[in-house]
Structure formats: structure tokens, C-alpha cells
């Protein structure tokens, strides 16, 4: 079918980016993209009045998945209105959703099992959370989910439960789906007070974490550590962006093995060149990522093989962080290659590490 996706966009002061519509078509799972357009290179930036924009493409009816929306990478403001989808010239009308009505048995189950709480605010009385102790028992990991990204109350409640777990049950680590090397800057502030927490938080890339609610939790963590009442750390376990990991490995090698620096810089330069070309093609084909993976694997294997030599002159924790950073670089390439570790597998490995 022929798609025409339209919408009106107005912008104000957008710098280092643009506003746009976006549409992605997956033919065989999320890594097999058969159609993609995010208006890169033609979306409005700066300050512009309302104007109608469109995305058009032909879509195979056998595709498995469609994702679409609006976006605004960069700084500034954008407004979107009157979004419309046409298929073969016919406007697509959203059918009315069928409301879910729970049965009496389901309602009774909820009444018996739900633990209600009085507030999402991470202050004051924790008596309404006491029942969590029995639910958690002696578990060492508590998973905190969210129904949507960025909703204030969800993260306030995460803050509140984390505070309860640290103060009442002795938990010591908060780990989040954020890039692993970048999160160390946040952790350094929490443990020592060094650095700018706002800058460190912004350095995690995800807008979902760059909010006042997350900053409030970070500030509480710092206060908790400074109080002497306990210790809590902030860790990331994601691996999608290799930039900081590369800088860390480069800095480590300059100290631990200067003779390898030139080779390392050449490898990283080639990886950046490959990645730049892949961004131009807007393709995430696993075959195209093989050269990036092979280069990253060279570095990872080299650091692993020389660990014993590094330990003679560098503290163990610094050596192992450098090797882990090289693993993150490798993970960021392999998640696009079928048969290699997926992002979820890599994040699980990083949690275990």
C-alpha cells in the first residue's frame, strides 16, 4: 500500500537539531527495517510558523510491525498537530477501543493482593510500604518498572521505594537502563560529591532520565551517603553508545600500554568511519555491522589477553573497568548482528558483571 503520513509542525528556537515526523517499517523483526523516514535533513529548525509536512513510502502488506510518531532531537520547542495517515489515498480512521471490564473474580483477586500506598512523594511516613518487606523477603534484586517513560509519579515512586529499600532493608545499588560508562559520572557525584549532577545526568543521553525527579533522587543518594547512615551507588547497565567507553579505553591504554595507542586510535577511527557511513544509509543490517564488530572485538580480546601485564602497574579495579568498557564497545556493535548477543543479553551480562 502507498502511505502518506502528514502533520503540521511549528518550531521555536530549535538549535542543533530539527522537528519531524517519523515512520519505520519492520519486515522480519526489529533489526530488519524495510522502510524508514525521520525527516532528517528536511525537518524544520530555528523558529518557523505552522507548516504541513509529509512522509510517503510504499509498504509491503506482509510486514510484521510499524512504529511511527513525532520527534525533536536538539534544543528548543516544537508543536505538532492534525496528524493523519492515508493508505492508497484513503484516510485511516482509528476504530474505537473495546473497554476492558474486569470480572468479579478478577476484582476480588486485586482486592486481596494489591498493596496500596498513600503517596508517590519520596518523603515522610513509610508505614504504607512496610508490606513490601514480606513480598521482597531475602531477594537481592528488586525490579522497578514503569507504565510509561517520563511520567513524574512513576519515578517519584521509584525514588520512594529505593529510599525505603536503602534505609529499611540495606540495599546498596540502584541500577538503571542507562549507558554503563556514562553512569559512572553520576555515581562519582553520589559517592564523593565531586562534579555537577545536572551535567552528569544529561550525559546519560536518554530524555527519560534527564528530569527533575531523577535529579531529586540523585541528590537524596548523595545526602544519604554523606550522612553516614548507609551507602548506595548509582549504576548503568546499558551499552548502546560507545563514545565514552572509547574515550575511557583510550585514556587507560595511554597509561597502561602506550605502545598500543597508535593501533588503538587507528581501530577506533575506522569504527567511527564505518558508523558514519551506516548512519547515512539509515540501515541497521547485521552484515554491514560485521566490520565494526570485528574491529571492536580486536580491542576487547587485546585488553583481556594483557590483563595480567596491566595489573603489574595499574590497580585491579581500574583494569577491570577498562576491560568492561571495551566490552561495552563490542556490545554496541553486536546488538545489530543476528546470532550475536542482543541488547537485552548484553544488559544482563553487565548487571552480572
Amino acid at each position: 500500500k502507498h502511505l502518506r503520513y502528514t502533520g503540521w509542525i511549528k518550531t521555536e528556537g530549535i538549535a542543533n537539531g530539527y522537528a519531524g515526523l517519523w515512520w519505520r517499517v519492520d519486515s522480519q523483526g526489529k533489526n530488519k527495517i524495510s522502510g524508514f523516514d525521520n525527516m532528517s535533513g528536511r525537518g524544520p529548525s530555528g523558529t518557523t510558523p505552522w507548516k504541513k509536512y509529509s512522509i510517503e513510502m510504499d509498504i509491503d502488506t506482509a510486514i510484521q510491525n510499524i512504529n511511527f510518531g513525532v520527534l525533536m532531537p536538539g534544543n528548543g520547542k516544537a508543536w505538532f498537530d492534525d496528524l493523519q495517515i492515508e493508505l492508497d489515498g484513503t484516510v485511516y480512521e482509528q476504530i474505537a477501543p473495546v473497554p476492558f471490564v474486569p470480572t468479579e473474580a478478577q476484582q476480588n483477586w486485586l482486592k486481596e493482593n494489591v498493596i496500596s500506598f498513600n503517596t508517590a512523594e519520596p518523603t515522610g511516613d513509610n508505614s504504607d510500604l512496610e508490606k513490601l518487606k514480606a513480598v521482597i523477603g531475602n531477594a537481592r534484586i528488586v525490579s522497578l518498572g514503569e507504565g510509561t517513560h517520563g511520567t513524574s509519579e512513576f519515578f517519584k515512586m521509584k525514588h520512594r521505594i529505593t529510599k525505603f529499600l536503602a534505609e529499611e532493608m540495606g540495599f546498596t545499588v540502584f541500577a538503571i537502563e542507562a549507558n554503563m560508562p556514562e553512569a559512572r559520572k553520576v555515581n562519582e557525584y553520589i559517592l564523593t560529591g565531586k562534579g555537577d549532577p545536572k551535567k552528569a545526568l544529561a550525559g546519560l543521553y536518554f530524555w527519560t532520565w534527564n528530569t527533575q525527579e531523577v535529579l531529586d533522587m540523585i541528590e537524596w543518594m548523595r545526602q544519604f551517603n554523606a550522612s553516614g547512615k548507609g551507602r548506595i551507588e548509582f549504576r548503568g547497565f546499558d551499552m548502546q553508545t560507545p563514545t565514552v567507553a572509547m574515550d575511557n579505553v583510550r585514556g587507560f591504554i595511554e597509561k597502561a600500554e602506550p605502545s598500543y595507542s597508535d593501533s588503538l586510535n587507528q581501530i577506533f577511527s575506522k569504527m567511527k568511519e564505518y558508523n558514519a557511513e551506516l548512519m547515512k544509509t539509515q540501515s541497521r543490517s547485521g552484515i554491514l555491522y560485521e566490520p565494526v564488530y570485528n574491529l571492536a572485538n580486536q580491542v576487547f580480546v587485546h585488553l583481556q589477553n594483557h590483563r595480567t601485564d596491566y595489573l603489574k602497574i595499574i590497580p585491579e579495579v581500574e583494569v577491570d573497568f577498562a576491560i568492561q568498557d571495551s566490552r561495552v564497545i563490542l556490545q554496541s556493535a553486536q546488538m545489530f548482528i543476528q546470532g550475536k548477543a542482543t541488547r537485552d543479553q548484553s544488559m544482563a551480562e553487565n548487571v552480572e558483571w
Side-chain angles (χ1 to χ4, degrees), residues 7-299:
W8 290 76
I9 304 175
K10 180 177 77 168
T11 64
E12 180 183 304
I14 294 182
N16 303 316
Y18 67 99
L21 312 173
W22 67 271
W23 193 282
R24 192 186 86 207
V25 182
D26 300 334
S27 57
Q28 298 176 27
K30 66 181 181 180
N31 291 335
K32 298 291 184 179
I33 299 173
S34 61
F36 178 79
D37 190 344
N38 66 358
M39 291 183 57
S40 177
R42 70 180 194 279
S45 60
T47 299
T48 61
W50 283 110
K51 183 179 177 181
K52 192 174 185 178
Y53 296 86
S54 67
I55 285 175
E56 296 198 41
M57 67 176 70
D58 291 319
I59 301 177
D60 191 327
T61 55
I63 56 92
Q64 294 188 344
N65 184 53
I66 289 173
N67 293 278
F68 63 95
V70 300
L71 79 164
M72 192 205 77
N75 304 318
K77 296 180 181 179
W79 292 261
F80 302 87
D81 200 4
D82 195 24
L83 303 177
Q84 183 172 279
I85 298 167
E86 294 178 14
L87 295 174
D88 289 345
T90 301
V91 175
Y92 177 80
E93 299 290 348
Q94 175 67 53
I95 61 172
V98 178
F100 171 75
V101 180
T103 65
E104 184 177 352
Q106 289 169 333
Q107 292 184 59
N108 289 336
W109 186 92
L110 287 172
K111 290 174 183 176
E112 292 172 4
N113 290 279
V114 162
I115 298 175
S116 62
F117 55 91
N118 299 329
T119 179
E121 297 295 330
T123 56
D125 183 15
N126 280 332
S127 59
D128 56 335
L129 299 183
E130 283 295 322
K131 289 183 180 179
L132 287 178
K133 290 182 178 179
V135 174
I136 295 167
N138 62 358
R140 297 175 60 229
I141 296 176
V142 176
S143 297
L144 304 175
E146 55 195 25
T148 57
H149 285 327
T151 300
S152 176
E153 291 81 1
F154 283 140
F155 211 95
K156 284 181 177 178
M157 197 62 194
K158 284 188 180 184
H159 179 174
R160 188 174 183 225
I161 292 175
T162 300
K163 184 172 181 288
F164 176 79
L165 294 174
E167 293 177 347
E168 303 286 337
M169 300 188 69
F171 279 75
T172 57
V173 177
F174 176 87
I176 196 170
E177 190 179 315
N179 234 50
M180 198 170 197
E182 286 80 344
R184 296 214 293 271
K185 287 288 185 183
V186 178
N187 197 49
E188 182 181 18
Y189 171 76
I190 287 169
L191 293 179
T192 68
K194 295 178 182 177
D196 182 343
K198 285 187 178 180
K199 187 176 180 181
L201 182 57
L204 298 183
Y205 310 124
F206 292 167
W207 65 266
T208 44
W209 313 140
N210 193 14
T211 66
Q212 185 63 47
E213 290 78 7
V214 181
L215 183 63
D216 289 343
M217 187 187 72
I218 288 171
E219 293 289 12
W220 165 77
M221 288 178 162
R222 174 62 201 140
Q223 293 166 12
F224 182 66
N225 285 330
S227 72
K229 296 178 181 177
R231 175 187 171 91
I232 190 164
E233 297 190 34
F234 183 106
R235 295 291 183 185
F237 51 79
D238 209 343
M239 32 52 71
Q240 295 189 82
T241 307
T243 309
V244 172
M246 284 178 164
D247 290 342
N248 291 348
V249 171
R250 190 181 287 111
F252 172 81
I253 288 298
E254 286 174 358
K255 291 192 302 181
E257 191 186 0
S259 60
Y260 184 58
S261 288
D262 287 345
S263 298
L264 180 71
N265 288 330
Q266 289 176 14
I267 290 172
F268 283 172
S269 293
K270 286 181 182 178
M271 289 178 65
K272 287 182 178 180
E273 288 174 12
Y274 276 121
N275 276 320
E277 289 300 315
L278 291 171
M279 289 295 288
K280 290 178 185 177
T281 63
Q282 296 183 336
S283 172
R284 290 187 171 185
S285 168
I287 296 173
L288 297 177
Y289 272 87
E290 287 283 0
V292 182
Y293 170 84
N294 291 334
L295 290 167
N297 194 49
Q298 282 184 42
V299 176

Side-chain angles (χ1 to χ4, degrees), residues 325-337:
D325 283 334
S326 70
R327 182 183 284 110
V328 166
I329 298 167
L330 180 65
Q331 291 170 340
S332 70
Q334 72 185 7
M335 67 176 170
F336 298 116
I337 304 174

